Every structure is written in C-alpha cells, then in structure tokens.
C-alpha cells in the first residue's frame, strides 16, 4: 500500500504529515472543513490545500475523461477561466 499523501499549506508551502482523515469526513458531510498548519499556525479551508502527488482535490464539480490523452494545459487554463474557478487535474485510474 502506498504512503498517505501530505497536505501542503497554501500559506507557507510546508507539507505536514500530522493530519487526521476526520477533516475529510467533515468536509464530505458538511461541505466545509479547515485544516491547521503546524508550521505557520494558520487554519485554512481544506479545498485550498495542495497535496503531494496531486492525490486529492476537494470540489463540488468534477469531470471524468475516460480513455483520453492527457489534457493540454492551455485547455485546462481556458476551462478554469470560463468557469471562474481553480482547476485541478488528477490523472490515472481511480
């Protein structure tokens, strides 16, 4: 089994391995959850965090492109601009 990914603080860019999966359950149940950074002591909404190996993305809308070539970065940038939101690309079989 692979290593659990570390969240990366969007404020100080520190990765932390001291987090609980309960924050994901809270976000899933309520639609909101904050994660505290032990390095800078800031609490930040879970969707704002980055994850090592782009393991997680927290969103309310997702698209799956099955059996497609990798998406062109220009396409994803333009798509995000049209949507008015940040875009996360997760690749691989889930």
């Amino acid at each position: 089994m692979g290593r659990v990914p570390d969240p990366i603080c969007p404020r100080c860019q520190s990765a932390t391995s001291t987090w609980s999966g309960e924050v994901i359950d809270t976000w899933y149940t309520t639609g909101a959850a904050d994660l505290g950074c032990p390095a800078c002591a800031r609490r930040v909404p879970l969707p704002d965090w980055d994850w090592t190996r782009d393991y997680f993305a927290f969103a309310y809308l997702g698209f799956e492109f099955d059996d497609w070539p990798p998406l062109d970065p220009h396409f994803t940038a333009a798509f995000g601009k049209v949507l008015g939101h940040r875009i996360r690309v997760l690749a691989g079989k889930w």
Side-chain angles (χ1 to χ4, degrees):
M1 176 159 217
R3 188 174 177 278
V4 175
D6 293 332
I8 302 166
C9 178
R11 305 286 192 241
C12 71
Q13 302 304 306
S14 294
T16 179
S17 59
T18 58
W19 66 281
S20 166
E22 291 176 13
V23 71
I24 294 173
D25 294 337
T26 300
W27 181 86
Y28 183 77
T29 302
T30 67
D34 291 342
L35 185 59
C37 177
C40 70
R42 306 265 314 261
R43 293 196 64 77
V44 181
L46 189 59
D48 292 347
W49 287 74
D50 289 318
W51 295 84
T52 55
R53 300 183 313 279
D54 287 331
Y55 195 84
F56 288 123
F58 295 90
Y60 294 103
L61 178 64
F63 295 92
E64 180 178 353
F65 297 93
D66 191 28
D67 209 16
W68 279 51
L71 297 176
D72 185 282
H74 292 98
F75 168 78
T76 55
F79 193 48
K81 196 172 203 177
V82 168
L83 291 176
H85 291 278
R86 177 180 59 185
I87 299 290
R88 298 285 187 182
V89 176
L90 303 177
K93 294 288 182 184
W94 303 101

